Amino acid sequence: MTPDSLPWRDSARLYGKLTRLLHWSIAALMLWQFLGMGLRLVLGRTPLVSFFVGSHQKVGTVLFLLIVLRVLWALANRRNRPDHGAGLLGLAARLGHGALYLVMALVPFAALLRAYGGERAFAPFGFEIFAARQPPIGWMVGIGDALHGEMAWLLLALIAGHVVMVGVHEGMWRDGTLARMAGRQRAGF
């Protein structure tokens, strides 16, 4: 099956074009975000780090919108998606994906909550989405500060687990899981 012949919607055999587009777009943007924050931890404030960190709010806003679309699309396709399997492994896969979706949505939500209650206007693309608060709404800022970074590192750990499990599926079980998401279709799947 070629990428051109893939359906837009998911099916019991494979993920459709839109699911794949959302998955890989979100993955690329998250890689950008984590690379920037990792460089900030290692290098401190440098021009290279400023390049990445300077885009953090804009990329995060786009990520939030894509994540919302991804969740809505997943819900719309929930009966058409490839099955995670039965038993404990299937349950673990469903719980792992549920945790990914939940934390993936909570990270930018915490940042938006902090921005909404903050003392600076939130205008990631030059137009104001949230006005500055004077005085700031302390509980919103506090929750956002407490959750955004910590939940992001939890998300990174969940992503690492997700990648490891893709390796297990491909290397040990050889069940075509990566093919269903990456765009190539194996015979028999």
Side-chain angles (χ1 to χ4, degrees):
M1 180 172 287
T2 66
D4 290 335
S5 65
L6 282 173
W8 280 99
R9 293 185 63 98
D10 299 341
S11 74
R13 290 177 24 140
L14 52 85
Y15 295 99
K17 286 180 184 179
L18 189 54
T19 296
R20 292 169 191 226
L21 177 65
L22 289 169
H23 178 274
W24 294 109
S25 298
I26 289 169
L29 292 174
M30 283 191 184
L31 177 63
W32 179 269
Q33 296 288 69
F34 284 117
L35 179 62
M37 292 301 103
L39 288 171
R40 182 176 171 203
L41 285 173
V42 172
L43 301 176
R45 296 183 186 269
T46 67
L48 174 65
V49 171
S50 294
F51 174 72
F52 281 95
V53 174
S55 68
H56 192 82
Q57 190 179 75
K58 290 177 184 175
V59 172
T61 302
V62 171
L63 264 170
F64 183 69
L65 295 173
L66 290 176
I67 290 164
V68 168
L69 286 173
R70 173 106 190 248
V71 168
L72 292 174
W73 185 249
L75 289 171
N77 280 275
R78 70 185 173 277
R79 301 205 195 301
N80 303 328
R81 304 184 114 195
D83 188 25
H84 287 98
L88 286 176
L89 289 176
L91 177 62
R94 285 188 292 281
L95 290 174
H97 282 101
L100 267 170
Y101 275 93
L102 177 64
V103 177
M104 199 167 47
L106 283 176
V107 171
F109 178 78
L112 287 171
L113 186 67
R114 178 178 58 194
Y116 182 79
E119 58 190 13
R120 291 184 298 173
F122 179 69
F125 296 100
F127 57 93
E128 189 174 283
I129 297 172
F130 302 140
R133 305 278 178 199
Q134 294 301 333
I137 303 171
W139 70 268
M140 288 183 168
V141 174
I143 289 173
D145 283 344
L147 291 181
H148 181 67
E150 301 302 326
M151 295 296 280
W153 295 116
L154 174 60
L155 178 59
L156 184 60
L158 290 169
I159 291 168
H162 185 69
V163 171
V164 166
M165 287 311 300
V166 168
V168 169
H169 278 277
E170 286 299 301
M172 291 177 58
W173 299 335
R174 301 184 191 283
D175 62 2
T177 296
L178 181 60
R180 288 193 296 269
M181 198 63 194
R184 55 185 208 283
Q185 188 67 18
R186 287 186 181 177
F189 289 101

